[in-house]
């Protein structure tokens, strides 16, 4: 006698994006030429987030200069040209969608002199200037000394950085990234905060 197969739990099923909020988010992003982790990284939570009229914005274009094996974001030796209007478009999208807590990340831009830190900072400032009441959380690349300060000086409310994997599994990441570099980024952020810069 065979056992009755167990049903998969409801949380394992991914909803198909639909609804008015989803259409509105999609329209705003397309009209303003903005990228999101939701689309670029093929996030399985897209339907849930967009259904609540929110998204994780991804600045500095949609092409990453790193090639981590676990990531779905498009990659190339050089990213797209930095769009000066992106900061204003981001701020306008946050306002138009009524987002009160904006989460902003970026692709890695090893092809830029400051790896995109100044532009990332400009995006934070634009959102804050458009509406000082919006809280901004940033998920930053492994910025170095001289780069991370620019981001912190833009006064994000929360600064985060993904370590991505344990040291033993570093082979999954692009060779320019490492567990040690991620820890150094967090150390630099903590040192800046201790000196009164940043969140």
């Amino acid at each position: 006698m065979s056992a009755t197969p167990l049903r998969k739990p409801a949380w394992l099923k991914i909803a198909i994006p639909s609804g008015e909020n989803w259409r509105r988010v999609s329209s705003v992003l397309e009209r303003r030429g903005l990228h999101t982790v939701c689309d670029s990284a093929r996030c399985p939570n897209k339907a849930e987030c967009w259904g609540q009229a929110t998204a994780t914005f991804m600045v500095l274009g949609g092409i990453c200069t790193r090639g981590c094996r676990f990531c779905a974001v498009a990659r190339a030796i050089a990213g797209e040209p930095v769009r000066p209007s992106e900061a204003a478009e981001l701020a306008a999208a946050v306002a138009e969608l009524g987002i009160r807590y904006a989460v902003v990340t970026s692709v890695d831009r090893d092809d830029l002199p400051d790896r995109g830190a100044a532009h990332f900072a400009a995006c934070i400032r634009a959102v804050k200037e458009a509406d000082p009441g919006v809280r901004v959380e940033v998920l930053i690349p492994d910025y170095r000394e001289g780069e991370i300060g620019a981001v912190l000086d833009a006064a994000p409310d929360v600064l985060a950085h993904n370590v991505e994997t344990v040291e033993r599994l570093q082979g999954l990441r692009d060779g320019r990234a490492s567990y040690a570099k991620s820890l150094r980024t967090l150390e630099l952020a903590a040192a800046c905060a201790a000196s009164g810069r940043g969140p």
Side-chain angles (χ1 to χ4, degrees):
M1 185 165 117
S2 62
T4 305
L6 296 174
R7 292 183 63 82
K8 293 177 182 167
W11 57 262
L12 191 60
K13 296 178 182 175
I14 298 170
I16 296 172
S18 63
E20 184 55 38
N21 279 340
W22 181 87
R23 284 189 290 278
R24 188 159 63 98
V25 171
S26 181
S27 171
V28 168
L29 294 171
E30 185 177 340
R31 185 165 18 91
R32 301 202 172 275
L34 297 171
H35 296 278
T36 65
V37 168
C38 321
D39 273 335
S40 297
R42 300 181 194 158
C43 180
N45 300 320
K46 174 180 171 177
E48 182 180 349
C49 293
W50 287 29
Q52 295 176 38
T54 191
T56 298
F57 299 98
M58 190 171 77
V59 299
L60 288 162
I63 297 174
C64 188
T65 57
R66 304 245 175 121
C68 300
R69 287 164 46 197
F70 54 79
C71 186
V73 175
R75 59 194 69 149
I77 293 171
E80 298 163 322
V82 176
R83 188 167 59 114
S85 64
E86 184 177 43
E89 295 292 358
L90 171 64
V94 168
E96 192 173 344
L97 293 170
I99 294 173
R100 305 308 300 159
Y101 190 100
V103 181
V104 184
T105 190
S106 77
V107 289
D108 279 292
R109 292 300 304 266
D110 297 296
D111 58 324
L112 299 175
D114 68 346
R115 298 187 315 128
H119 182 76
F120 204 137
C123 290
I124 298 165
R125 281 193 299 274
V127 173
K128 290 286 199 177
E129 287 166 6
D131 185 345
V134 173
R135 299 189 71 201
V136 179
E137 175 180 336
V138 294
L139 180 58
I140 62 168
D142 51 359
Y143 282 138
R144 302 170 188 146
E145 207 159 355
E147 298 168 349
I148 197 166
V151 175
L152 288 168
D153 287 343
D157 295 283
V158 176
L159 182 126
H161 172 73
N162 285 343
V163 176
E164 302 293 4
T165 187
V166 295
E167 198 165 13
R168 179 176 59 85
L169 299 174
Q170 279 303 150
L172 295 172
R173 298 188 73 184
D174 185 286
R176 290 165 289 184
S178 74
Y179 183 77
K181 284 180 182 175
S182 285
L183 291 186
R184 181 63 182 150
T185 295
L186 295 171
E187 287 169 357
L188 288 170
C192 284
S195 69
R197 296 171 81 180

